[in-house]
Amino acid sequence: MWFAISSAYLALISFADTWMFLYIALNLGADPTTLGIASAIWSAVFVISNMVFGRLVERGHNKAGATASAIIFCLAITLLLRSDNVEGALLAYSILHPFSVSLGRTASSVTLLEYVSSDSWTKYNYILNTATFVVRGILLISVYAGYVTGNHVLALSILVSALYALALPPVVLPLERTLFRVSKQLDKLHGYLKFVDVLPEVFEGNLTPSQVLELRWEVGRDIPSYRPLLAVFVMMASSDALLVVLPVVLSGSIGRLGTFLVYGISSIASAVAVLALSRVKSGRVIALVAGTGRALTLPLVLFVGDVVTGVVYMVLMSVLLNVFNSSNYSSYLNSSSGQSTYLYWVLAELGSIVGSLIGGYITSYYGFTYVIAISIVSHLIASVLA
């Protein structure tokens, strides 16, 4: 039950992220530079919150983190609805909302890693991502159709937030993550000590036993944990450079309400695609393919002229980014033994800060096509790093 409620809460704050940003961009008419600064501040606050409170939540204070997240989230929605100018809306979106996302995401991640077997970490992450896409899509389409208003969002936020804070179970000791780390080391040691297996290589390859064992030890080593961190930093920087101004670009082609509809439909379609891809084994090769495919997809935004092409474009972009992040995050969990998960999100948001500022500035002063070119090159770099 707690996982379902946690998934609903994380999906709701993910919807709120998109909804609040679109509201500021389309309803209040913020320009690309303002949007870039708003997104950068959001990411900076997220990073600060993770660095200050991430360790506390990971050490067993997940309930406190969940409660704080729920309260701040409700305050953010309330402030946004009471603001009739960009400044007040930015306070809600760029300051309060990232605090709630940071605390809620870390609290849920820590709880998941401790209450779910390490063999199922990847599966449950895919379930969580799918739920996020579905809920976000349904709510965005409902906003487009006029079925969901700001007051409805506030009421739903209060209800789900209260359930989330109450339902999340406490984490006392990091048992599952510790056992996973010990198991990995024992597996390595077992392979290292199977001396009889190296005898054919000793006699046939003219190598000493120590040389063969050293080669086997190196092959069995995990990738350094800094590589997935660098990969997500570069990927999010190049992605957000484009995404931060995308609502303005799309609304110029398909209108304000059409933009809400595109984001909603593409979110649901992405959920179906991600669920279908959940059986694909995560790994560096998958991250490489997804990142490269997204780099090739980026310039297709120039051909979006209606809702249908907009949906197709957004689905491709969303699915490829999700596949990349899922594979890259799985690599990080394996290389770090599930420890310091907040660092992954810190590097992601640091990348978002850089990308948001660059995207908003370049679009305002040089043009959108330059953003596309820079984003393509950076995507390819991230794919190689993953």
Side-chain angles (χ1 to χ4, degrees):
M1 178 61 73
W2 70 264
F3 179 74
I5 295 176
S6 178
S7 299
Y9 178 75
L10 294 182
L12 183 60
I13 61 175
S14 176
F15 154 76
D17 186 13
T18 305
W19 174 66
M20 294 170 81
F21 190 79
L22 290 176
Y23 182 87
I24 295 170
L26 304 180
N27 290 51
L28 299 181
D31 59 80
T33 301
T34 301
L35 292 175
I37 293 173
S39 182
I41 294 174
W42 192 104
S43 298
V45 173
F46 182 92
V47 169
I48 293 171
S49 176
N50 262 306
M51 296 300 293
V52 174
F53 302 109
R55 292 182 184 274
L56 292 175
V57 175
E58 286 218 354
R59 289 173 180 171
H61 299 284
N62 63 319
K63 288 284 289 185
T67 302
S69 172
I71 293 173
I72 296 172
F73 176 54
C74 293
L75 289 175
I77 300 298
T78 302
L79 179 59
L80 179 76
L81 295 177
R82 290 181 175 274
S83 301
D84 54 3
N85 54 58
V86 173
E87 290 75 14
L90 289 182
L91 176 61
Y93 172 74
S94 299
I95 303 298
L96 295 179
H97 184 254
F99 264 115
S100 67
V101 175
S102 166
L103 292 169
R105 185 181 291 173
T106 304
S108 297
S109 295
V110 170
T111 308
L112 173 65
L113 293 174
E114 288 303 328
Y115 279 84
V116 174
S117 170
S118 58
D119 295 334
S120 301
W121 285 351
T122 300
K123 181 184 74 173
Y124 275 84
N125 276 314
Y126 266 114
I127 294 173
L128 182 59
N129 288 334
T130 302
T132 297
F133 278 124
V134 171
V135 172
R136 184 173 62 195
I138 291 174
L139 289 175
L140 285 172
I141 293 174
S142 299
V143 170
Y144 160 79
Y147 297 134
V148 171
T149 65
N151 290 330
H152 293 139
V153 174
L154 177 59
L156 185 62
S157 300
I158 293 173
L159 174 62
V160 176
S161 297
L163 291 174
Y164 171 69
L166 293 172
L168 201 70
V171 172
V172 180
L173 295 172
L175 295 179
E176 182 64 28
R177 287 173 291 167
T178 301
L179 290 174
F180 178 67
R181 185 171 67 251
V182 171
S183 174
K184 284 177 58 182
Q185 297 303 320
L186 289 177
D187 288 342
K188 285 184 177 182
L189 185 60
H190 178 258
Y192 188 83
L193 293 178
K194 290 179 66 177
F195 182 77
V196 67
D197 287 349
V198 308
L199 292 180
E201 297 178 56
V202 172
F203 291 110
E204 297 173 9
N206 296 320
L207 298 173
T208 65
S210 61
Q211 288 175 321
V212 175
L213 289 171
E214 183 177 356
L215 288 173
R216 289 194 166 199
W217 183 264
E218 290 296 324
V219 170
R221 288 178 63 183
D222 295 313
I223 63 168
S225 59
Y226 68 83
R227 287 193 55 166
L229 294 177
L230 286 176
V232 74
F233 172 83
V234 177
M235 175 57 74
M236 295 311 298
S238 57
S239 180
D240 278 22
L242 177 77
L243 294 179
V244 72
V245 294
L246 190 59
V248 177
V249 174
L250 290 178
S251 64
S253 301
I254 59 179
R256 182 177 66 86
L257 289 179
T259 302
F260 273 99
L261 183 61
V262 164
Y263 273 82
I265 296 176
S266 62
S267 186
I268 295 177
S270 297
V272 176
V274 168
L275 187 61
L277 291 170
S278 63
R279 296 183 180 274
V280 178
K281 186 177 181 181
S282 298
R284 296 182 62 195
V285 175
I286 299 299
L288 174 63
V289 172
T292 303
R294 200 168 192 265
L296 298 176
T297 304
L298 286 171
L300 297 180
V301 68
L302 299 175
F303 302 96
V304 173
D306 52 45
V307 171
V308 175
T309 55
V311 168
V312 172
Y313 178 78
M314 291 296 291
V315 168
L316 287 174
M317 292 284 286
S318 179
V319 170
L320 289 172
L321 180 62
N322 188 273
V323 171
F324 175 89
N325 264 330
S326 295
S327 298
N328 193 52
Y329 185 57
S330 294
S331 296
Y332 178 69
L333 289 179
N334 286 325
S335 61
S336 66
S337 302
Q339 302 293 320
S340 300
T341 56
Y342 69 93
L343 282 179
Y344 188 87
W345 308 115
V346 166
L347 266 294
E349 295 307 328
L350 284 175
S352 183
I353 293 173
V354 175
S356 297
L357 292 175
I358 291 176
Y361 178 82
I362 293 179
T363 300
S364 296
Y365 293 98
Y366 297 99
F368 187 57
T369 53
Y370 284 92
V371 175
I372 295 176
I374 293 173
S375 187
I376 290 173
V377 174
S378 300
H379 267 64
L380 295 175
I381 294 173
S383 301
V384 173
L385 286 172

